[in-house]
C-alpha cells in the first residue's frame, strides 16, 4: 500500500458497494448508528458521486413494505436502513410478510457502539448506546431471513454486500439482514484494500425447469385426466406466466383456482378461471396440480380424495420455512413454474389428439357456464346498495371497479371483505393485483407507495379494513406519499371492528358464551374519521356512509389521485 494513498471510511465504501449491487433506493429510518453513513452521503452529494435514492420513512413498517413494493414492480431487491434493535423490532412484522411473499429486501441496521470511552471514532456518546445492545439483535428477525451477518471489518464491506444481495436474489428469494457497529463504519481504508465483487462472477442462483422425462409424466397424466384441477397463489410473480397458464388451461380443460392469491395468476375473464376457493373440486379431481401455492385449501373444511394424483410445481416446493406442511404431492418439482408450464404446454400441444381436444373443449365450455353464473351472482350482490350507515361492501367495491382501468393496480388487504374485493374488482392483466402473503396486517400502505415509486404512470388502489388501516401506520404512509409525490387511493372498508376475530371465535365455539353475550372483543370505535388522517398530510379525504353518495365520492377521489394528490375514501360498510 502506498503511504500517500487516499483513505476513505468504511461508510464511503458501503455506499459505493450498494451502487455496485444495483440498489436503486434506500428506504430509511435513521438513528444515531447511521452518523458515518449520513456524513458520507453528504460528501457524495457535494462531490457528485452516485448514490442510491434516499426515501425517509417515519416508520419502519412503511420503509420495509415500500422496498417490497418497489422490488415487486422491478424484480430488483432494494435496501432498508433502520436503527439498531429498536428499528429491527419495528421491522419484524414486515419481514414476516416478505419472508412469506419471497420478496428480496436487504434490511440493514446499526449496532450499539462497542467502545465506551472514546477509544475509536464512533464510540458511545449518548444514553441509548448503553440500552440498545441486546445479546442477540438478529434473533428479532431470524425466523424471517435467509441470511444474517454482522460486518466485522470495513475491509470486507463490498464482499458482505455482494453476499447479501446474492442470497436475497437467489430462488426462492427472500429478505436478508446485515448489521454494523458505528466504529466499523468509521474505519479508514485505502482504495487498494477494498475489493469489488461483480455480479457476473458472484451473482444469484436462478430456479431451473424440469427435465423432459418429468414433463412427460405430467403430460401423460393430463392427457388421461377427466377432472383436472390446478390451484395457484403466486405463479403470477412472473408477469409472463398468466398467459402461459391460460393457454395451458384452455388446451387441457383445466379448472384453475386462485386461493388467497398474491398476484394476478390467471385472467379472471378466462373461461377456465374457477374462482378463489377450490371447495368440492378438490375431492372431485382425478389429477391435480399445485403451482406456486403455500395453502391450496383448508383441510378441515375441504375433503380430498386419496386416489387423486397430485403434482406440486413450486419455486419453494420444500416449504422449509414452514414447520408443518402436509399437502399432497405424488410428484414434486422445485423450480421455475413459468418454464415448467411452458414446457408442459409444448408437450401437450405435440401429443394432443382430436379426441383429447374435444373432451377438453367440453370441459372449458362447462366451466365458462359456471363462470357466467358467478358473474351473475356478483352482479346480484352488488345491486344491493345497503342502508345509510351500513353500505353493502359489494356495492361499494363494484363502484370502484367501474372507474378503474385494466392496467390499474389493486392491493387487497380488506381481510374479511377480501373475498368481496376479489369478486367485485376483477383483474385481467399481469401485475395488477397484490395480496397478503403473511399474517402481518398493515402491508398494503407501504407496498402501494413502493409500486407507485417504481411505476409512476400507474394508478394504485389500496383496499383495507378499518382494523388493517390502524396497523398500517397511516400517518407514516401519508407523510411519505406527500413528501415524495406518490399519490395512491386508499379505500377503507370500515365494518367497525375485527371481523376475523369474531368469525374465528364463532368457528371454534359456534354456540358458546361469546355468541350468547355478543362479546367478541372485536368492536372498535365507531367515531373515527379516517379522512382526517389523509387531510392532515394534504391529501383528499372523504367519509361516506350513504350509498347514494358512493359514486360521486369515488369519482372525486380518483380525480384527485390522477391529478397527483393522494386520496382516502372512508366508507362505513356493513358492521361485523
Amino acid at each position: 500500500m502506498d503511504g500517500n494513498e487516499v483513505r476513505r471510511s468504511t461508510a464511503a465504501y458501503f455506499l459505493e458497494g450498494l451502487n455496485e449491487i444495483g440498489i436503486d433506493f434506500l428506504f430509511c429510518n435513521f438513528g444515531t448508528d447511521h452518523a458515518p453513513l449520513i456524513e458520507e452521503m453528504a460528501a457524495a452529494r457535494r462531490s457528485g458521486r452516485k448514490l442510491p435514492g434516499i426515501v425517509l420513512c417515519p416508520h419502519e413498517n412503511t420503509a420495509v413494505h415500500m422496498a417490497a413494493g418497489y422490488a415487486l414492480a422491478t424484480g430488483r431487491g432494494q435496501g432498508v436502513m433502520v436503527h439498531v434493535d429498536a428499528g429491527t423490532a419495528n421491522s419484524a412484522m414486515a419481514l414476516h410478510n416478505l419472508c412469506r411473499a419471497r420478496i428480496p429486501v436487504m434490511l440493514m441496521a446499526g449496532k450499539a457502539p462497542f467502545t465506551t470511552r472514546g477509544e475509536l471514532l464512533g464510540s458511545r456518546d449518548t444514553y441509548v448506546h448503553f440500552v440498545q445492545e441486546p445479546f442477540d439483535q438478529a434473533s428479532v428477525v431470524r425466523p424471517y431471513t435467509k441470511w444474517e451477518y454482522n460486518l466485522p471489518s470495513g475491509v470486507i464491506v463490498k464482499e458482505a454486500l455482494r453476499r447479501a444481495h446474492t442470497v436475497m436474489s437467489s430462488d426462492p428469494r427472500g429478505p436478508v439482514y446485515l448489521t454494523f457497529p458505528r466504529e466499523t463504519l468509521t474505519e479508514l481504508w485505502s482504495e487498494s484494500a477494498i475489493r469489488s465483487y461483480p455480479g457476473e462472477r458472484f451473482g444469484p442462483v436462478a430456479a431451473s425447469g424440469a427435465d423432459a422425462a418429468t414433463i412427460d409424466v405430467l403430460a401423460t397424466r393430463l392427457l388421461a385426466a377427466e377432472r383436472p384441477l390446478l390451484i395457484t397463489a403466486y405463479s403470477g410473480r412472473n408477469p409472463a406466466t398468466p398467459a402461459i397458464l391460460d393457454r395451458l388451461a384452455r388446451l387441457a380443460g383445466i379448472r384453475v383456482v386462485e386461493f388467497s392469491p398474491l398476484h394476478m395468476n390467471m385472467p379472471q375473464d378466462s373461461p377456465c378461471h374457477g374462482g378463489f376457493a377450490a371447495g368440492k373440486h378438490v375431492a372431485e379431481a382425478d389429477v391435480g396440480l399445485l403451482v406456486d401455492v403455500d395453502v391450496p385449501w383448508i383441510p378441515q373444511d375441504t375433503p380430498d380424495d386419496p386416489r387423486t394424483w397430485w403434482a406440486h410445481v413450486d419455486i419453494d416446493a420444500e416449504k422449509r420455512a414452514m414447520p408443518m406442511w402436509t399437502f399432497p404431492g405424488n410428484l414434486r418439482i422445485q423450480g421455475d413454474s413459468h418454464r415448467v408450464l411452458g414446457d408442459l404446454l409444448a408437450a401437450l400441444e405435440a401429443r394432443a389428439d382430436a379426441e383429447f381436444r374435444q373432451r377438453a373443449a367440453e370441459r372449458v365450455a362447462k366451466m365458462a357456464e359456471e363462470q357466467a353464473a358467478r358473474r351473475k351472482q356478483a352482479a346480484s350482490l352488488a345491486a344491493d346498495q345497503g342502508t345509510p350507515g351500513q353500505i353493502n361492501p359489494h356495492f361499494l367495491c363494484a363502484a370502484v371497479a367501474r372507474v378503474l382501468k385494466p392496467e390499474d393496480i389493486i392491493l387487497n388487504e380488506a381481510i374479511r371483505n377480501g373475498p368481496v374485493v376479489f369478486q367485485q374488482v376483477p383483474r385481467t392483466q399481469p401485475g395488477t393485483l397484490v395480496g397478503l402473503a403473511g399474517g402481518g396486517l398493515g402491508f398494503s400502505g407501504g407496498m402501494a407507495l413502493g409500486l407507485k415509486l417504481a411505476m409512476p404512470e400507474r394508478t394504485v388502489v389500496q383496499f383495507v379494513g378499518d382494523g388493517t388501516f390502524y396497523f398500517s401506520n397511516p400517518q407514516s404512509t401519508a407523510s411519505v406519499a406527500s413528501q415524495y409525490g406518490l399519490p395512491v387511493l386508499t379505500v377503507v372498508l370500515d365494518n367497525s371492528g375485527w371481523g376475523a376475530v369474531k368469525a374465528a371465535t364463532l368457528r371454534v365455539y359456534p354456540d358458546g358464551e361469546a355468541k350468547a353475550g355478543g362479546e367478541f372483543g372485536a368492536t372498535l370505535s365507531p367515531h373515527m374519521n379516517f379522512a382526517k388522517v389523509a387531510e392532515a398530510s394534504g391529501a383528499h379525504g372523504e367519509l361516506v356512509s350513504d350509498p347514494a353518495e358512493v359514486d360521486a365520492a369515488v369519482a372525486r377521489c380518483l380525480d384527485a389521485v390522477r391529478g397527483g394528490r393522494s386520496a382516502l375514501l372512508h366508507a362505513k360498510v356493513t358492521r361485523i
Side-chain angles (χ1 to χ4, degrees), residues 94-399:
L95 263 285
H96 158 84
N97 287 335
L98 271 57
C99 169
R100 296 308 184 200
R102 300 169 183 86
I103 297 175
V105 165
M106 187 186 304
L107 180 66
M108 295 166 280
K111 296 189 73 174
F114 53 81
T115 56
T116 60
R117 293 173 172 82
E119 297 92 336
L120 297 171
L121 182 62
S123 184
R124 295 182 181 187
D125 59 14
T126 188
Y127 169 82
V128 293
H129 291 162
F130 292 85
V131 299
Q132 290 180 330
E133 185 183 24
F135 285 106
D136 188 0
Q137 181 172 311
S139 67
V140 178
V141 293
R142 185 169 296 134
Y144 314 124
T145 55
K146 294 180 65 180
W147 175 93
E148 64 179 68
Y149 191 66
N150 180 56
L151 186 65
S153 168
V155 75
I156 61 167
V157 62
K158 290 188 179 182
E159 183 177 4
L161 287 169
R162 173 56 67 186
R163 176 60 177 159
H165 185 270
T166 294
V167 173
M168 77 173 182
S169 303
S170 293
D171 290 323
R173 294 178 163 196
V176 295
Y177 183 57
L178 177 65
T179 57
F180 37 78
R182 248 186 6 175
E183 295 95 330
T184 303
L185 292 178
T186 62
E187 293 170 355
L188 298 178
W189 295 93
S190 64
E191 294 278 353
S192 60
I194 305 297
R195 179 179 173 183
S196 291
Y197 292 81
E200 58 267 23
R201 294 192 63 202
F202 302 95
V205 178
S208 60
D211 59 67
T214 300
I215 296 296
D216 186 66
V217 170
L218 288 171
T220 299
R221 288 284 181 172
L222 283 175
L223 285 166
E226 295 293 337
R227 297 173 302 281
L229 172 67
L230 188 151
I231 306 174
T232 186
Y234 52 87
S235 58
R237 72 186 187 284
N238 181 340
T241 301
I244 292 290
L245 181 53
D246 190 19
R247 287 176 57 195
L248 175 66
R250 291 172 188 258
L251 172 65
I254 304 172
R255 182 187 305 276
V256 177
V257 172
E258 297 183 280
F259 188 63
S260 295
L262 312 187
H263 307 284
M264 198 292 291
N265 305 289
M266 177 83 161
Q268 280 182 248
D269 58 359
S270 168
C272 298
H273 193 286
F276 298 96
K280 66 177 184 178
H281 302 298
V282 172
E284 293 175 352
D286 56 350
V287 172
L289 285 82
L290 305 181
V291 179
D292 287 332
V293 59
D294 283 333
V295 183
W297 61 80
I298 306 302
Q300 179 172 296
D301 303 329
T302 310
D304 65 335
D305 187 339
R307 297 169 296 179
T308 305
W309 187 88
W310 288 95
H312 180 201
V313 181
D314 205 312
I315 194 70
D316 183 18
E318 185 183 10
K319 309 297 182 190
R320 182 176 294 186
M322 297 183 177
M324 294 295 289
W325 199 91
T326 50
F327 290 96
N330 301 83
L331 174 65
R332 296 200 193 276
I333 305 168
Q334 180 146 322
D336 181 349
S337 62
H338 178 258
R339 293 179 60 178
V340 173
L341 295 178
D343 290 345
L344 178 58
L345 174 62
L348 284 175
E349 286 176 332
R351 295 178 57 184
D353 58 19
E355 189 269 338
F356 169 79
R357 293 177 185 271
Q358 178 61 32
R359 285 190 292 113
E362 290 172 357
R363 290 197 295 268
V364 171
K366 182 178 179 181
M367 288 187 288
E369 293 175 359
E370 294 173 3
Q371 187 191 75
R374 285 196 302 273
R375 285 199 299 267
K376 183 177 179 181
Q377 180 192 34
S380 175
L381 290 168
D384 176 9
Q385 297 185 2
T387 59
Q390 296 198 69
I391 301 169
N392 179 6
H394 285 273
F395 172 75
L396 186 130
C397 290

Side-chain angles (χ1 to χ4, degrees), residues 62 81 320 354 394 396 456 463 492 499 519 556:
T62 305
M81 198 76 71
R320 182 176 294 186
H394 285 273
L396 186 130
F463 287 90
V492 183
E519 299 174 358
R556 287 191 295 269

Side-chain angles (χ1 to χ4, degrees), residues 395 399 402-403 540 542 544 546-560 569:
F395 172 75
R402 283 194 296 271
V403 294
H540 177 76
E542 296 253 0
V544 60
D546 189 337
E549 299 173 356
V550 165
D551 285 333
V554 169
R556 287 191 295 269
C557 286
L558 265 177
D559 284 346
L569 177 63

